[in-house]
Amino acid sequence: MSMSSETIVLPPSVSTRSAASRLGDLPMIPIIILAVIAFMAIFADVLAPHNPEVGALTARFKPPFWQTGGTMDHILGTDQLGRDVLSRLIFGARVSMVVGFTAVIFAGVVGTVLGILAGYLGGWADQVIMRITDAWLALPALTFAIFLAAIVGPSMWNIVIILGLVYWTRYARVVRGEVLSLKEREFVRLAIVAGCSKATIMRRHILPNVVNSAIVLATLMLGVVIVTEASLSFLGVGVPPPKPAWGLMLSDGKQGLMVGYWWLTVLPGCCIMLMVLSANLLGDWLRVKLDPQLRQL
Amino acid sequence: MPVLEAAGLTKHFQARRGLFSGSRGVVRAVDDISFSIESGRTLGVVGESGCGKTTTAKLVLGLEEPTGGSIRFEGRDLQELDPAGRRHYRKSVQAVFQDPFASLSPRMRISDIIAEPLVTNETVTSGEVRRRVLELLDLVGLPERSADLFPHEFSGGQRQRIAIARALALSPKLVVLDEPVSALDVSIRAQILNLLRDLQDRLGLSYLFIAHDLAAVAHMSHTIVVMYLGKIVEVGDAQTLARAPKHPYTAALFSAALPSHPDERREEILLAGEVPSPLNPPSGCRFHPRCPQVMPVCGQQEPALAQVGDRFVACHLYDQARH
Amino acid sequence: MAATPNRPLLEIDNLSTHYVSAQGTRVVRAVDDVSLRISAGETLGIVGESGSGKSTLALSILRVLPPAAQIVSGQMWFENEDLVRKTDTEMRHVRGKRIAMILQDPMASLNPLFTIGNQVGEPIRVHEGTRRAAAWRRACDLLKAVRIPSPETRVTQFPHEMSGGMRQRIVGAIGIACEPRLLIADEPTTSLDLTIQAQYLSLLRDLQREHGLALIFITHNLGIVAKMCDQLVVMYAGRVVESGPVSRIFNAPAHPYTKALLNSIPRMTDNRNRLTAIEGQPPDLSSLPRGCSFAARCPAAFDRCHKETPPEFNLEGGRTARCWLASVAMQSGAA
């Protein structure tokens, strides 16, 4: 009993086609690098040839196998305590991954929620949240992190919380800006007319539309967070030894650099660089891919 | 009996005048207007940007709180309603907006979009919701499988049908139509206007129809309200008002409307200048600086909206006729 | 430049402009085999819905197409020169000087950082090498010509200090700055209020009369055509479906699409009659159906319409129509 006799032609499942074409040009290199690091982190127990935290003092400062004095037993050599560098790098990936991802997610959740609240509620809620954000942003991130680490003491999960507390403000800023334009959209006004509560509107209409931006930002933040974690470990207020973190390895190896033990610093440095670079490349790609779509919504 | 009556409705906005001066001005977006919408009828509102028609729609929808005056719905003043009454009002008044691309949440399925008012306001089982969604889709002439798609898979006209289906989900009494076809292609507009008319006949809906396309308003409306700078200048039956405007502004506005045929030659009244800022409206009759028939009294005394023949006009030209 | 008598100012023959996607897999025939002509002092309306190719046609005339679009065939004779074969440098001397264009959004058309005088004078400086001071004086005259009060103070102001209607008139002043022969207006009044639109349209008409301009109106609004134009070209899915003198087409449209379009517009004086709607949606330009592209929505379509694309039939009175029915009418009329 249709009111109008016309034939309505709907496009045949456009979504699948456009989704496939949208993801057609994945940046393969960063994805492969991140996948390898993630693989190492997950299967560290199986992959690592030695225990990363126990070394043999008889086998200190062994170079990688291709240099004279190197053995196939320690492919990438050993450190000042005779621990296997390859094993430490593999387990270090786990620390970097866990710290990086959880800190980024923690910061993202806090920042997005506060950003939505500030942007949508406006008024005093906006004032309070944004003034805190401004004050927060005015503090130098690393100094602030060191200060927090000094208070709560070093542990891996403390580092996660510290990094989350340091970096949530960036999400809050971006998300609030997005929400300010979203809340003027007609679908939000119609939701008010339909009788939706503020909480419902924020959850059902605002949140799904800012998630894209938050994800893009998270990918870009991953690099920043990993570098900060490495810096904290390097400065001795990060993940406590003997846990193998890349930043910590860098810090431990620095005395050896002058006397030719280059592998102790260059190898973890390369790992950090590759991971940060991949995360940033992926973030850039996502930003380009998701942004135009966001604007035309 | 009118579904909705507005009496002396007023909305002023505070505006900061300069960046550094603390002085504030008042934008008189809607200034002391009264109108009523009869059951099953369409009230058209026309006017140019800044005339207050969109603010009026927001006031009716409860998106803005009036500064003064009252809105009565089914005879009861909105200010005096208890929470249950307010909920009833919310459910009875729905809206369709101009931009079908902005009015549907891009990340929700059509079924969720249409069902949202229903789910929010009533306790219904998911089976009932689904049935109602399909019923509404059928009502606006969309196939059932639309329910599981996302908004970007539809064209502008189809999206506007979805927006209409959603507005009808709670079986409202009054639907505010704010430029419902102006974002659509010419060949699609007639489809939507016809659909709105059919729905009105079938469901006994009342419409508050706002558009800048005068012909569409004249076509859709029973009564037309002409607004200028927050004031009503003329109210009357749609057909007679469109054929023989009485207020000089209405006359100029309708003469500026584009003809539907090249042989249709109308008297062309070109107004000088542009609409003044509502921040600082002219004294007396707000139209007097641009009025081709201005008299000395117009700058001093504000004309009241009074009956002239078959309609109401706010103009000193008709002072004589009244006495 | 002595134009041959009777030769129109602009004559477009079988022009096709296609958009090709990055992978080269999707070809959109935005403008497909379009022919039209316009003489000096004439006003031509190009009417179509979004996606009908009318804006691409305008961009093709000025050769300012986006990188993905390409003129694939046809000729555009403007004052006896083929614009299609001109080099980019040669085209630069045509744009803004001999053919000018007015765009829809007056705010986006003006640079917020430069004064009005600077922007109105710019085409004169660029094309005629006029000195700054002289160009400034010309800008004053031009603002006067587009009826902007106290032009001497306005030239020193910035776009944000103007109202919407005034900005649109300034865009018009820039358009006529170099006294072009042809002015293309792409939806010039859609963002304006009714009374401001009326002012602007009467201004354009006066400018046309004074300067002997040829004017092309690109619009979706048949009302503008009824009010302003002598000749009309109706586009649908990239093709010209009907063309001819405006009053003849309005009185007796030859193509069912034109007829349906005219019937679907609400009229000020009708008594709430049901509108005759055109059912369905315009087709997807990248996968056009076989035959006539309007056939699926056409109330008068028959077998042949779905199988063969109708050519452009020349009808009496300088009209054309791309419809098999028009050919039938023509033959029966001749018999």
Side-chain angles (χ1 to χ4, degrees):
Chain A
M1 45 144 237
S2 179
M3 298 251 343
S4 35
S5 56
E6 71 221 53
T7 45
I8 301 274
V9 188
L10 293 181
S13 59
V14 182
S15 55
T16 49
R17 191 187 65 199
S18 61
S21 65
R22 247 198 344 242
L23 299 175
D25 54 337
L26 275 171
M28 288 320 289
I29 295 174
I31 284 182
I32 289 171
I33 293 174
L34 284 179
V36 167
I37 296 174
F39 184 77
M40 291 195 329
I42 294 166
F43 297 104
D45 300 303
V46 187
L47 290 172
H50 298 274
N51 185 328
E53 296 179 17
V54 181
L57 287 172
T58 49
R60 295 170 67 213
F61 296 122
K62 276 221 164 21
F65 71 94
W66 62 86
Q67 288 196 337
T68 45
T71 60
M72 285 308 285
D73 193 28
H74 301 286
I75 293 177
L76 295 179
T78 59
D79 67 2
Q80 72 282 3
L81 295 176
R83 295 174 297 195
D84 182 46
V85 170
L86 178 61
S87 306
R88 285 182 68 74
L89 284 177
I90 291 172
F91 274 92
R94 180 178 280 183
V95 173
S96 292
M97 276 282 178
V98 169
V99 171
F101 277 98
T102 43
V104 157
I105 290 167
F106 177 58
V109 170
V110 173
T112 306
V113 168
L114 289 176
I116 290 177
L117 288 175
Y120 191 73
L121 296 179
W124 65 266
D126 188 27
Q127 288 295 324
V128 170
I129 294 172
M130 288 337 279
R131 289 303 78 78
I132 293 175
T133 310
D134 287 342
W136 224 265
L137 281 169
L139 297 169
L142 192 62
T143 322
F144 186 43
I146 293 168
F147 169 73
L148 286 177
I151 293 176
V152 297
S155 98
M156 196 169 90
W157 293 109
N158 280 353
I159 290 295
V160 167
I161 292 168
I162 289 165
L163 292 173
L165 285 178
V166 169
Y167 289 118
W168 66 268
T169 48
R170 310 207 173 179
Y171 291 89
R173 286 249 125 189
V174 171
V175 167
R176 174 180 172 270
E178 200 106 347
V179 172
L180 285 184
S181 84
L182 278 171
K183 78 169 178 181
E184 296 302 319
R185 287 264 172 74
E186 286 180 349
F187 64 83
V188 174
R189 262 200 271 155
L190 279 168
I192 302 173
V193 173
C196 295
S197 66
K198 284 182 177 173
T200 314
I201 290 172
M202 285 189 267
R203 184 167 44 82
R204 289 175 52 126
H205 295 279
I206 304 279
L207 179 65
N209 289 298
V210 297
V211 157
N212 263 358
S213 311
I215 288 175
V216 171
L217 190 63
T219 336
L220 293 169
M221 289 299 292
L222 188 60
V224 179
V225 164
I226 289 167
V227 168
T228 315
E229 181 269 324
S231 311
L232 288 177
S233 297
F234 183 83
L235 294 169
V237 287
V239 180
K243 236 184 187 349
W246 291 344
L248 193 62
M249 290 171 72
L250 209 61
S251 163
D252 288 345
K254 68 177 185 287
Q255 291 97 344
L257 199 59
M258 289 299 149
V259 285
Y261 304 143
W262 59 269
W263 60 92
L264 296 183
T265 44
V266 171
L267 294 177
C270 284
C271 287
I272 293 172
M273 190 193 76
L274 279 176
M275 184 159 168
V276 171
L277 202 60
S278 308
N280 283 346
L281 284 173
L282 194 67
D284 265 346
W285 175 81
L286 267 180
R287 189 167 52 90
V288 173
K289 279 289 154 187
L290 298 179
D291 239 25
Q293 193 198 6
L294 254 180
R295 278 198 213 100
Q296 58 174 249
L297 285 179
Chain B
M1 182 185 119
V3 171
L4 185 128
E5 274 178 285
L9 199 59
T10 302
K11 177 71 193 178
H12 293 175
F13 292 102
Q14 296 290 323
R16 205 186 288 266
R17 276 224 159 102
L19 191 57
F20 300 108
S21 68
S23 73
R24 278 158 173 262
V26 173
V27 177
R28 296 160 182 276
V30 169
D31 210 0
D32 189 19
I33 65 166
S34 304
F35 58 86
S36 68
I37 306 172
E38 302 290 323
S39 166
R41 295 255 160 176
T42 304
L43 178 74
V45 181
V46 296
E48 298 175 273
S49 46
C51 75
K53 54 188 201 286
T54 301
T55 309
T56 306
K58 284 185 176 172
L59 288 168
V60 169
L61 288 169
L63 291 170
E64 300 278 1
E65 284 297 313
T67 319
S70 67
I71 296 177
R72 299 175 82 82
F73 183 71
E74 294 178 326
R76 293 169 69 197
D77 193 330
L78 288 195
Q79 300 289 326
E80 291 154 19
L81 286 181
D82 53 355
R86 282 215 146 244
R87 230 177 0 258
H88 173 66
Y89 178 72
R90 274 255 141 111
K91 283 161 62 178
S92 308
V93 181
Q94 293 294 317
V96 175
F97 289 134
Q98 170 175 11
D99 188 352
F101 292 84
S103 56
L104 306 180
S105 227
R107 296 185 187 278
M108 282 167 74
R109 285 186 193 280
I110 302 307
S111 53
D112 295 330
I113 292 175
I114 295 178
E116 189 178 42
L118 203 63
V119 177
T120 312
N121 288 283
E122 279 163 26
T123 40
V124 273
T125 64
S126 60
E128 284 173 71
V129 170
R130 182 77 187 175
R131 192 150 7 99
R132 182 83 180 122
V133 166
L134 296 183
E135 200 179 292
L136 287 162
L137 280 174
D138 186 50
L139 198 60
V140 297
L142 286 174
E144 283 193 2
R145 71 181 183 89
S146 317
D148 301 312
L149 302 176
F150 285 96
H152 70 260
E153 292 166 273
F154 294 86
S155 68
Q158 292 169 337
R159 287 181 198 219
Q160 208 58 315
R161 285 171 192 269
I162 295 165
I164 293 169
R166 174 190 157 103
L168 297 178
L170 290 167
S171 313
K173 300 254 169 41
L174 171 67
V175 181
V176 174
L177 306 166
D178 190 352
E179 304 271 8
V181 295
S182 43
L184 303 178
D185 262 328
V186 186
S187 78
I188 306 297
R189 286 183 190 177
Q191 290 178 9
I192 300 296
L193 290 179
N194 279 344
L195 173 69
L196 288 169
R197 285 271 289 273
D198 292 344
L199 290 170
Q200 179 166 52
D201 292 346
R202 229 170 97 166
L203 307 172
L205 296 168
S206 302
Y207 289 146
L208 177 63
F209 189 92
I210 295 174
H212 65 257
D213 180 356
L214 295 182
V217 175
H219 172 78
M220 290 292 290
S221 308
H222 298 88
T223 309
I224 290 182
V225 166
V226 185
M227 289 184 74
Y228 185 78
L229 271 180
K231 287 275 183 191
I232 292 180
V233 298
E234 187 165 354
V235 187
D237 172 75
Q239 292 305 317
T240 52
L241 188 142
R243 282 207 189 102
K246 286 208 158 104
H247 194 282
Y249 175 67
T250 317
L253 189 68
F254 279 81
S255 96
L258 294 164
S260 51
H261 195 284
D263 298 343
E264 186 182 324
R265 287 279 166 246
R266 270 180 253 148
E267 184 198 0
E268 205 165 307
I269 310 169
L270 281 185
L271 290 180
E274 300 185 23
V275 184
S277 156
L279 193 63
N280 199 0
S283 61
C285 172
R286 293 185 179 184
F287 183 57
H288 85 266
R290 301 175 74 198
C291 184
Q293 288 161 278
V294 65
M295 300 180 293
V297 64
C298 299
Q300 291 143 20
Q301 205 185 328
E302 193 172 316
L305 192 68
Q307 186 154 16
V308 179
D310 56 354
R311 70 190 89 151
F312 288 85
V313 184
C315 181
H316 289 302
L317 279 177
Y318 299 97
D319 284 350
Q320 245 68 55
R322 252 177 259 139
H323 299 308
Chain C
M1 216 176 305
T4 22
N6 301 331
R7 180 115 204 207
L9 178 71
L10 175 71
E11 186 173 356
I12 295 178
D13 292 320
N14 310 98
L15 184 80
S16 297
T17 303
H18 295 177
Y19 285 85
V20 181
S21 68
Q23 291 90 4
T25 46
R26 274 158 64 97
V27 175
V28 175
R29 296 160 185 271
V31 173
D32 195 10
D33 195 20
V34 165
S35 302
L36 58 85
R37 44 201 41 78
I38 177 171
S39 306
E42 243 181 9
T43 310
L44 170 73
I46 300 180
V47 166
E49 304 172 61
S50 54
S52 63
K54 57 188 196 300
S55 291
T56 309
L57 177 60
L59 299 178
S60 302
I61 296 174
L62 280 171
R63 296 255 316 270
V64 284
L65 290 162
Q70 221 179 348
I71 297 176
V72 291
S73 64
Q75 286 127 36
M76 296 191 287
W77 294 99
F78 177 71
E79 294 184 321
N80 290 326
E81 297 167 57
D82 187 358
L83 296 181
V84 174
R85 271 180 282 163
K86 276 189 180 296
T87 63
D88 284 348
T89 327
E90 287 172 324
M91 270 318 286
R92 256 209 324 272
H93 295 297
V94 174
R95 277 179 224 136
K97 180 157 169 57
R98 289 159 63 193
I99 305 178
M101 189 160 177
I102 299 174
L103 295 174
Q104 190 181 118
D105 185 353
M107 199 60 219
S109 305
L110 294 173
N111 187 329
L113 296 178
F114 290 101
T115 58
I116 298 302
N118 206 325
Q119 299 190 54
V120 176
E122 188 180 24
I124 309 170
R125 292 208 313 276
V126 169
H127 289 293
E128 290 163 21
T130 315
R131 295 287 179 97
R132 192 167 277 268
W136 194 267
R137 274 195 303 279
R138 276 289 303 284
C140 273
D141 295 341
L142 284 164
L143 290 192
K144 211 173 288 164
V146 294
R147 297 187 204 133
I148 285 177
S150 54
E152 296 79 13
T153 50
R154 288 296 182 187
V155 280
T156 59
Q157 290 183 324
F158 290 90
H160 70 265
E161 295 170 89
M162 315 272 150
S163 64
M166 222 183 281
R167 280 197 290 256
Q168 189 59 291
R169 273 181 282 163
I170 288 162
V171 172
I174 297 174
I176 59 160
C178 288
E179 303 192 343
R181 308 285 300 130
L182 173 64
L183 185 63
I184 303 173
D186 190 356
E187 305 272 9
T189 59
T190 31
S191 56
L192 301 181
D193 269 326
L194 269 183
T195 59
I196 308 301
Q197 169 177 282
Q199 286 173 4
Y200 191 62
L201 290 178
S202 94
L203 169 75
L204 280 178
R205 196 150 45 189
D206 290 352
L207 290 175
Q208 178 183 31
R209 231 172 261 150
E210 283 158 29
H211 300 269
L213 272 176
L215 203 55
I216 295 184
F217 264 101
I218 293 179
T219 180
H220 64 270
N221 193 333
L222 284 164
I224 288 197
V225 175
K227 188 174 171 128
M228 298 289 292
C229 301
D230 316 312
Q231 299 285 323
L232 171 61
V233 163
V234 183
M235 289 189 73
Y236 186 79
R239 295 191 187 124
V240 173
V241 292
E242 177 160 10
S243 71
V246 167
S247 58
R248 280 166 177 269
I249 294 183
F250 271 74
N251 283 325
H255 197 284
Y257 175 64
T258 321
K259 194 182 283 175
L261 210 53
L262 286 168
N263 284 335
S264 75
I265 309 171
R267 273 154 218 263
M268 204 72 86
T269 45
D270 71 356
N271 284 319
R272 284 178 58 88
N273 293 321
R274 230 182 120 82
L275 299 167
T276 335
I278 308 178
E279 308 301 352
Q281 313 283 332
D284 178 4
L285 285 179
S286 63
S287 57
L288 281 179
R290 218 151 63 94
C292 172
S293 42
F294 186 62
R297 302 173 77 187
C298 182
F302 54 99
D303 274 356
R304 195 174 185 183
C305 302
H306 297 285
K307 287 182 192 127
E308 286 173 74
T309 308
E312 207 155 53
F313 293 107
N314 287 310
L315 312 179
E316 30 131 33
R319 300 176 61 178
T320 68
R322 251 184 209 277
C323 179
W324 291 117
L325 288 172
S327 86
V328 174
M330 193 170 58
Q331 277 151 12
S332 64

